[in-house]
Amino acid sequence: HMPDGEDIRDAAREIARSDLEELLALCKQLLEKQNREQANDLLPWPGGAETRDDWDFYWWNLRVTIRQLEPVLKDPQFVDWDFFYEAS
């Protein structure tokens, strides 16, 4: 939910390409180091990650994010596209 009580699942937000590039770089950095303290500081898991299973799922989600963003951001056909995020 948004601070004003709106349900964010119904709202698409435009995301700057530079923000996606920054997210991609951060995911790569965190996945390479797999430092839990740094991960909690830079890209915390909603609700926190405490158990080994939580962290395995966290690292898996970083790999998925990289696998989805990298080809799109590298492909010249998408250079001028607008990107949107919609919560589900």
Side-chain angles (χ1 to χ4, degrees):
H1 285 87
M2 305 270 297
D4 61 6
E6 281 184 60
D7 190 344
I8 64 169
R9 291 175 293 182
D10 295 331
R13 290 187 4 190
E14 187 168 3
I15 305 295
R17 181 184 188 85
S18 60
D19 289 341
L20 293 176
E21 292 168 339
E22 185 178 322
L23 175 61
L24 177 60
L26 180 59
C27 288
K28 287 180 173 184
Q29 172 191 338
L30 293 175
L31 189 58
E32 181 180 315
K33 294 180 181 180
Q34 292 198 16
N35 178 309
R36 293 176 179 185
E37 186 175 319
Q38 185 181 36
N40 270 329
D41 289 343
L42 298 176
L43 192 61
W45 187 254
E50 296 177 14
T51 68
R52 179 178 167 85
D53 287 343
D54 291 342
W55 282 105
D56 287 346
F57 191 57
Y58 180 90
W59 305 128
W60 177 82
N61 274 281
L62 292 184
R63 285 190 290 276
V64 168
T65 300
I66 293 167
R67 192 169 48 242
Q68 291 175 343
L69 285 179
E70 195 164 47
V72 172
L73 294 175
K74 282 185 175 182
D75 192 324
Q77 77 176 3
F78 299 119
V79 168
D80 294 324
W81 281 37
D82 295 325
F83 297 95
F84 292 85
Y85 173 77
E86 188 170 344
S88 56

